Amino acid sequence: MTVDDANAGRGAEPPEAPTYPTPHHEVDHTAEPSHDPLAIRLEQLILGADRRYTPFQAARTAGVSMELASRFWRAMGFADIGQAKALTEADVLALRRLAGLVEAGLLSEPMAVQVARSTGQTTARLAEWQIDSFLEGLTEPPEPGMTRTEVTYPLVELLLPELEEFLIYVWRRQLAAATGRVVQAADDEEMVDRRLAVGFADLVGFTRLTRRLEEEELGELVEAFETTCADLVAAHGGRLIKTLGDEVLYCADDPGTAAEIALRLIETLGHDETMPALRVGIAFGTVTTRMGDVFGTTVNLASRLTSIAPKDAVLVDDAFAEELTRTGEAPVSETEAAEEAARAEKEGRQPVTYRFALQPTYQRSVRGVGVVEPWLLSRRPT
């Protein structure tokens, strides 16, 4: 349906707006707007507006076709609600903004849909975490006889503006950092296809743990693992791409940073008796970045190296090892480095120092990659 079609039908509302195919994993088609009084009050508090529009009315008011509106809403992860009156002025404004970016030529329509999808996926996870891990605990009735209902509304009312301001602050900080990386790229191609060090860190024997631990214990272990990894990656200059329960994926602009993060992870988690052993695989090469994720052969190789790494050890590919030696962070040969150190000591001068050591391992065939000759990465004694 076009905007003209919508305007022509102002006199009589159609009984049902057209529906469009939706990937089954993006929305819950059974979802309906809640009619619970508290849920509605909370929704009004959080959204700052009353329910006013059906999807068709919202699209028409925004001057957007129903088809495009549906694409935007589904990309953001919102459920199909038929023609229930569940949308607000904020929904209309969001449609206008996205469509306006397309009309102004700032974004193509597919890019606008990607913006909607990436924002929806990221904020959906954030909202779920905040409810599951934060509000759920805080809304336990503080006194006998009080219901969760009596506690939730005033608590959300107090927290909402603070959380909103904090979210905007963090987003601006992250946007500034990401923009800085883009403008420092050597050329336009490097903005999308960049040379990065990609690392996977994986808990050994996690599947067996899931059978042995209670759900609460398992949740605490995963949270501790993800928190430790996120803190170490950020503190040492890397970027956490995603967490997968028993595995994290991170990247860094240079191998030295990625190597330091990997060894810190091994050292830190190795001192935690509650944690299983850890193994890390790192590869260096061209990586395609999209919607905050990374793709390509380099990422696949890092994953495969992780699967064959020994417990509490780091395996790296040949390109990663070459880059470490090229930048002087690891010696080309341990034998030559030892001989040079002996000569320096004999001559009374300061020997060359290296941060890392590389030990070649035997060649092996890795599924989906071919024959590789990994290197075992370790920290050189100071």
Side-chain angles (χ1 to χ4, degrees), residues 79-95:
D80 287 344
I81 58 172
Q83 285 305 312
K85 185 171 286 189
L87 303 181
T88 71
E89 289 289 350
D91 296 293
V92 173
L93 181 59
L95 286 178

Side-chain angles (χ1 to χ4, degrees), residues 6-7 10 53-64 89 92 96:
N7 291 334
R10 288 183 187 274
Y53 301 101
T54 66
F56 178 83
Q57 291 170 335
R60 185 178 63 184
T61 304
V64 176
E89 289 289 350
V92 173
R96 282 178 181 161

Side-chain angles (χ1 to χ4, degrees), residues 19-29 70-71 73-75 78-80 117:
T19 58
Y20 304 93
T22 306
H24 71 277
H25 62 280
E26 287 189 12
V27 300
D28 174 8
H29 293 277
S70 294
R71 290 185 66 197
W73 281 321
R74 289 166 179 173
F78 300 149
D80 287 344
R117 179 169 289 111

Side-chain angles (χ1 to χ4, degrees), residues 63-360:
V64 176
S65 70
M66 189 62 209
E67 180 178 4
L68 183 58
S70 294
R71 290 185 66 197
F72 284 151
W73 281 321
R74 289 166 179 173
M76 286 183 276
F78 300 149
D80 287 344
I81 58 172
Q83 285 305 312
K85 185 171 286 189
L87 303 181
T88 71
E89 289 289 350
D91 296 293
V92 173
L93 181 59
L95 286 178
R96 282 178 181 161
R97 282 175 170 161
L98 278 174
L101 291 173
V102 175
E103 292 172 4
L106 296 173
L107 293 178
S108 66
E109 189 174 305
M111 181 60 70
V113 172
Q114 286 186 11
V115 169
R117 179 169 289 111
S118 62
T119 306
Q121 290 176 352
T122 302
T123 53
R125 184 179 181 189
L126 175 63
E128 289 289 346
W129 181 89
Q130 288 175 333
I131 293 299
D132 291 345
S133 303
F134 186 47
L135 291 179
E136 184 175 314
L138 287 178
T139 54
E140 288 293 338
E143 298 179 10
M146 290 188 69
T147 65
R148 184 180 294 268
T149 299
E150 293 173 316
V151 178
T152 302
Y153 189 93
L155 181 63
V156 171
E157 191 173 27
L158 289 170
L159 285 175
L160 185 62
E162 302 300 326
L163 292 176
E164 182 178 20
E165 289 296 327
F166 185 69
L167 174 62
I168 294 172
Y169 156 74
V170 175
W171 171 71
R172 284 182 177 272
R173 268 287 178 187
Q174 294 288 5
L175 188 64
T179 304
R181 290 193 293 270
V182 168
V183 299
Q184 292 175 33
D187 50 46
D188 289 344
E189 289 186 4
E190 193 178 330
M191 292 184 186
V192 178
D193 297 322
R194 308 171 57 193
R195 285 177 63 78
L196 296 173
V198 178
F200 277 91
D202 177 53
L203 291 175
V204 179
F206 184 77
T207 302
R208 291 193 299 273
L209 276 177
T210 61
R211 303 191 195 102
R212 185 161 51 87
L213 295 179
E214 298 290 336
E215 288 185 6
E216 185 175 348
E217 293 176 307
L218 191 64
E220 291 174 353
L221 184 144
V222 169
E223 183 176 356
F225 171 64
E226 292 183 349
T227 299
T228 300
C229 290
D231 288 348
L232 287 173
V233 169
H236 295 283
R239 296 188 297 284
L240 187 68
I241 302 300
K242 57 187 172 185
T243 60
L244 304 170
D246 62 331
E247 187 176 59
V248 298
L249 168 62
Y250 72 92
C251 66
D253 293 329
D254 64 276
T257 299
E260 182 64 31
I261 291 170
L263 294 173
R264 292 275 183 172
L265 289 172
I266 296 288
E267 293 160 358
T268 302
L269 294 173
H271 286 91
D272 188 340
E273 296 180 355
T274 66
M275 283 288 171
L278 187 71
R279 53 191 176 193
V280 182
I282 319 177
F284 181 73
T286 301
V287 173
T288 298
T289 60
R290 185 182 179 195
M291 290 178 63
D293 209 341
V294 291
F295 308 91
T297 303
T298 303
V299 181
N300 295 337
L301 178 54
S303 177
R304 297 290 184 260
L305 289 173
T306 306
S307 66
I308 62 175
K311 292 180 180 180
D312 290 327
V314 182
L315 275 188
V316 305
D317 74 326
D318 196 58
F320 188 95
E322 286 182 7
E323 191 69 8
L324 275 186
T325 58
R326 186 189 69 79
T327 56
E329 303 217 60
V332 176
S333 165
E334 285 294 328
T335 301
E336 292 179 4
E339 292 173 353
E340 167 58 25
R343 284 195 298 271
E345 183 178 359
K346 186 176 181 180
E347 297 169 5
R349 57 184 173 83
Q350 190 69 26
V352 177
T353 57
Y354 302 95
R355 294 171 64 193
F356 309 109
L358 292 164
Q359 177 185 339

